[in-house]
Amino acid sequence: MSLDAAILTALRLPKTGAVSGAELSQKLGVSRAAIWARVEELRSLGYDIEASPHLGYRLVSVPDVLHADDLHSRLPGVKVVGRDIRVFQETTSTNDVVEKLARDGVKEGVVVFAESQTRGRGRLGRKWISPEKRGLWFSVLLRPNLRPQAATQLTVAAATALARAISTQTNLSPEIKWPNDILIKGKKVAGILTELSAELDQVKYLILGIGVDVNLNASEFPPEVRKLATSLKIEAGRTINRAELAAAVLEELDTDYARICAGQFETLADEWEERCTTIGHNVVIRVGDRSIQGRAESLDSDGALLIRTQHGRLERIIGGDVSVEK
Ligand code: BTN
């Protein structure tokens, strides 16, 4: 952990009150002058850190920026997801950045955030708008020991982690629409783009690209999606702290990834089914030129959706565009 991350972690520990320079210096093994210099640097980034000669340092407020050290300081316990965090001011697509890291052999768990994306993309070649500092636009590199057919397990994990984090951070009630949409009151608020590189029987690496519309105003959505999309700010009626939400999502994803690695996908699938609005409904799924109609029954052990068609056959679907019949 960097010195800045360690300072922020220490300043977060006392819920009220402050930490003295001497205590920080002893705890972190650096001089008081070095602490002071880093505090000044954090202040220049917008962190409001009060310094009193008697009490020491107190973290008063943090700016609305994504900062790798800050995110690290919020995630002291993660094992894999988020142990390496990189933040860019602007990228084409964070999935592209992570793909390059994957090809360069970087370890799994690295997370790349961008404050804005110029060529953010969604599923099925759709464009994903990613305005500066309005959302969370990030990608996670994983190297799971799975067959390519089971890769959907990770989309399921990401959707469950995302829904859980949104619910605890905002008190809203997110629903999952198979396979990868998070909705609030029927409107999309987040999506997941899973891309993978695989051999015939083994995933080489997998990239989870996650986009959350956090603080967008209605006018910031393109007119054609305004009826279908929303943001957490619109639904909660208040601005949401992006760094807090980002840390919560990564923490949940780290937990769910550990469950998948331990072969416990079933527990995750149960939670997913509870939050999913697709299960138990009649749906139409478009897969390429094909359209499949039936009742969504459950997930199978690989994370594929099982549809009972009108003819009583059980179809296994791993991707497509779902509409739920009301
Ligand atoms: C979808 O719902 O179609 C998936 C949207 C995924 C968007 C995210 S934003 C971060 C990452 N980078 C991209 O270009 N796309 C994903």
Side-chain angles (χ1 to χ4, degrees), residues 202-234:
Q202 172 72 45
V203 171
K204 284 208 289 193
Y205 61 82
L206 181 142
I207 301 167
L208 286 174
I210 300 179
V212 189
D213 291 328
V214 183
N215 288 326
L216 283 89
N217 298 314
S219 60
E220 288 170 298
F221 288 100
E224 65 277 13
V225 301
R226 245 170 245 172
K227 281 210 184 81
L228 308 169
T230 188
S231 74
L232 297 176
K233 177 181 171 186
I234 296 170

Coordinates of all heavy atoms in Angstrom, one line a residue, residues 202-234:
Q202 N -10.5 -24.0 -21.8 CA -10.0 -23.3 -20.6 C -10.1 -21.8 -20.9 O -9.6 -21.3 -22.0 CB -8.6 -23.7 -20.3 CG -7.8 -22.9 -19.3 CD -8.3 -23.1 -17.9 OE1 -8.6 -24.3 -17.5 NE2 -8.5 -22.0 -17.2
V203 N -10.6 -21.0 -20.0 CA -10.6 -19.5 -20.1 C -9.1 -19.1 -19.9 O -8.5 -19.5 -19.0 CB -11.5 -18.9 -19.1 CG1 -11.3 -17.3 -19.1 CG2 -12.9 -19.2 -19.4
K204 N -8.6 -18.2 -20.8 CA -7.3 -17.7 -20.6 C -7.4 -16.4 -19.7 O -6.7 -16.3 -18.7 CB -6.6 -17.3 -22.0 CG -6.1 -18.5 -22.7 CD -5.0 -18.2 -23.6 CE -5.4 -17.4 -24.8 NZ -4.5 -17.2 -25.9
Y205 N -8.2 -15.5 -20.1 CA -8.5 -14.4 -19.3 C -9.9 -13.9 -19.6 O -10.4 -14.1 -20.7 CB -7.5 -13.3 -19.3 CG -7.3 -12.6 -20.7 CD1 -8.2 -11.6 -21.1 CD2 -6.3 -13.0 -21.5 CE1 -8.1 -11.1 -22.4 CE2 -6.1 -12.4 -22.8 CZ -7.0 -11.5 -23.2 OH -6.9 -10.9 -24.4
L206 N -10.5 -13.2 -18.6 CA -11.9 -12.7 -18.8 C -11.9 -11.2 -18.3 O -11.3 -10.9 -17.3 CB -12.8 -13.6 -18.0 CG -14.3 -13.3 -18.0 CD1 -15.1 -14.6 -18.1 CD2 -14.7 -12.4 -16.9
I207 N -12.6 -10.4 -19.0 CA -12.7 -9.0 -18.6 C -14.1 -8.6 -18.3 O -15.0 -8.8 -19.2 CB -12.2 -8.1 -19.8 CG1 -10.7 -8.4 -20.1 CG2 -12.3 -6.6 -19.4 CD1 -10.2 -7.8 -21.4
L208 N -14.3 -8.2 -17.1 CA -15.7 -7.7 -16.7 C -15.7 -6.2 -16.9 O -15.0 -5.5 -16.1 CB -16.0 -8.1 -15.3 CG -16.3 -9.5 -14.9 CD1 -16.4 -9.7 -13.4 CD2 -17.5 -10.0 -15.6
G209 N -16.4 -5.7 -17.8 CA -16.5 -4.2 -18.0 C -17.8 -3.8 -17.4 O -18.9 -4.3 -17.7
I210 N -17.7 -2.9 -16.4 CA -18.9 -2.5 -15.7 C -19.2 -1.0 -15.8 O -18.3 -0.2 -15.6 CB -18.8 -2.9 -14.2 CG1 -18.6 -4.4 -14.1 CG2 -20.0 -2.4 -13.3 CD1 -18.4 -4.9 -12.7
G211 N -20.4 -0.6 -16.2 CA -20.8 0.8 -16.3 C -22.0 1.1 -15.4 O -23.0 0.4 -15.4
V212 N -21.8 2.1 -14.5 CA -22.9 2.4 -13.6 C -23.2 3.9 -13.8 O -22.4 4.8 -13.6 CB -22.6 2.2 -12.1 CG1 -23.8 2.4 -11.2 CG2 -21.9 0.8 -11.9
D213 N -24.5 4.2 -14.1 CA -24.9 5.6 -14.3 C -25.2 6.1 -12.9 O -26.3 5.9 -12.3 CB -26.2 5.7 -15.2 CG -25.9 5.3 -16.6 OD1 -24.7 5.6 -17.1 OD2 -26.7 4.7 -17.3
V214 N -24.2 6.8 -12.3 CA -24.3 7.2 -10.9 C -25.0 8.6 -10.7 O -26.1 8.7 -10.2 CB -22.9 7.2 -10.2 CG1 -23.1 7.5 -8.7 CG2 -22.2 5.8 -10.4
N215 N -24.3 9.6 -11.2 CA -24.8 11.0 -11.0 C -25.2 11.7 -12.2 O -25.1 12.9 -12.3 CB -23.7 11.7 -10.2 CG -23.6 11.2 -8.8 OD1 -24.6 10.8 -8.1 ND2 -22.4 11.3 -8.2
L216 N -25.7 11.0 -13.2 CA -26.2 11.7 -14.4 C -27.5 12.3 -14.2 O -28.3 11.8 -13.5 CB -26.3 10.7 -15.6 CG -25.0 10.3 -16.3 CD1 -24.5 9.0 -15.7 CD2 -25.3 10.0 -17.8
N217 N -27.7 13.5 -14.8 CA -29.1 14.1 -14.8 C -29.8 13.6 -16.0 O -29.2 13.2 -17.0 CB -29.0 15.6 -14.9 CG -28.2 16.2 -13.6 OD1 -28.5 15.7 -12.5 ND2 -27.2 17.0 -13.9
A218 N -31.1 13.7 -16.0 CA -31.9 13.1 -17.1 C -31.5 13.7 -18.4 O -31.4 13.0 -19.4 CB -33.4 13.4 -16.9
S219 N -31.2 15.0 -18.5 CA -30.8 15.6 -19.7 C -29.5 15.1 -20.3 O -29.2 15.4 -21.4 CB -30.7 17.2 -19.5 OG -29.7 17.4 -18.5
E220 N -28.7 14.4 -19.5 CA -27.4 13.9 -20.0 C -27.5 12.6 -20.7 O -26.5 12.2 -21.3 CB -26.4 13.8 -18.8 CG -26.0 15.2 -18.3 CD -25.2 15.2 -17.0 OE1 -25.8 14.7 -16.0 OE2 -24.0 15.6 -17.0
F221 N -28.7 12.0 -20.7 CA -28.9 10.8 -21.4 C -29.3 11.1 -22.9 O -30.1 12.1 -23.0 CB -30.0 9.9 -20.8 CG -29.6 9.2 -19.6 CD1 -29.9 9.7 -18.3 CD2 -28.8 8.1 -19.6 CE1 -29.6 9.1 -17.1 CE2 -28.4 7.4 -18.4 CZ -28.8 7.9 -17.2
P222 N -28.8 10.4 -23.9 CA -29.3 10.7 -25.2 C -30.8 10.6 -25.3 O -31.3 9.6 -24.6 CB -28.6 9.7 -26.1 CG -27.5 9.1 -25.3 CD -27.9 9.3 -23.8
P223 N -31.5 11.4 -26.1 CA -33.0 11.4 -26.1 C -33.5 10.0 -26.3 O -34.5 9.6 -25.7 CB -33.4 12.3 -27.2 CG -32.2 13.1 -27.5 CD -31.0 12.4 -26.9
E224 N -32.9 9.2 -27.2 CA -33.4 7.8 -27.5 C -33.4 6.8 -26.3 O -34.1 5.9 -26.4 CB -32.8 7.3 -28.8 CG -31.3 6.9 -28.7 CD -30.3 8.1 -28.9 OE1 -30.8 9.3 -28.9 OE2 -29.1 7.9 -29.1
V225 N -32.6 7.1 -25.3 CA -32.6 6.1 -24.2 C -33.2 6.7 -22.9 O -33.3 6.0 -21.9 CB -31.1 5.6 -23.8 CG1 -30.5 4.9 -25.0 CG2 -30.3 6.7 -23.3
R226 N -33.7 7.9 -23.0 CA -34.2 8.6 -21.8 C -35.3 7.8 -21.1 O -35.5 7.8 -19.9 CB -34.7 10.0 -22.1 CG -33.8 11.0 -21.4 CD -34.1 12.4 -21.9 NE -32.9 13.0 -22.5 CZ -32.8 14.1 -23.2 NH1 -33.9 14.8 -23.4 NH2 -31.7 14.5 -23.7
K227 N -36.2 7.2 -21.9 CA -37.3 6.4 -21.3 C -36.9 5.1 -20.7 O -37.6 4.5 -19.9 CB -38.3 6.1 -22.4 CG -39.2 7.3 -22.8 CD -40.6 6.7 -23.3 CE -41.5 7.8 -23.8 NZ -41.2 8.2 -25.1
L228 N -35.7 4.6 -21.1 CA -35.3 3.3 -20.7 C -34.2 3.3 -19.6 O -34.0 2.3 -19.0 CB -34.7 2.5 -21.9 CG -35.6 2.5 -23.2 CD1 -34.8 1.9 -24.4 CD2 -36.8 1.6 -22.9
A229 N -33.5 4.5 -19.5 CA -32.4 4.5 -18.6 C -32.6 5.5 -17.5 O -33.3 6.5 -17.6 CB -31.1 4.9 -19.4
T230 N -31.9 5.3 -16.4 CA -31.9 6.2 -15.3 C -30.6 6.3 -14.6 O -29.7 5.5 -15.0 CB -33.1 5.9 -14.3 OG1 -33.3 6.9 -13.4 CG2 -32.8 4.6 -13.6
S231 N -30.5 7.1 -13.5 CA -29.2 7.1 -12.8 C -29.6 6.9 -11.3 O -30.7 7.1 -10.9 CB -28.5 8.4 -13.0 OG -29.1 9.5 -12.2
L232 N -28.6 6.6 -10.5 CA -28.8 6.4 -9.1 C -29.2 7.7 -8.4 O -30.1 7.8 -7.6 CB -27.6 5.9 -8.4 CG -27.1 4.5 -8.9 CD1 -25.8 4.1 -8.2 CD2 -28.2 3.4 -8.5
K233 N -28.6 8.8 -8.9 CA -29.0 10.1 -8.4 C -30.4 10.5 -8.7 O -31.1 10.9 -7.8 CB -28.1 11.2 -9.1 CG -28.4 12.6 -8.6 CD -27.4 13.6 -9.3 CE -27.9 15.0 -9.1 NZ -27.1 16.0 -9.9
I234 N -30.9 10.2 -9.9 CA -32.3 10.5 -10.2 C -33.2 9.7 -9.3 O -34.2 10.2 -8.7 CB -32.6 10.2 -11.7 CG1 -31.8 11.1 -12.6 CG2 -34.1 10.3 -12.0 CD1 -31.9 10.7 -14.1

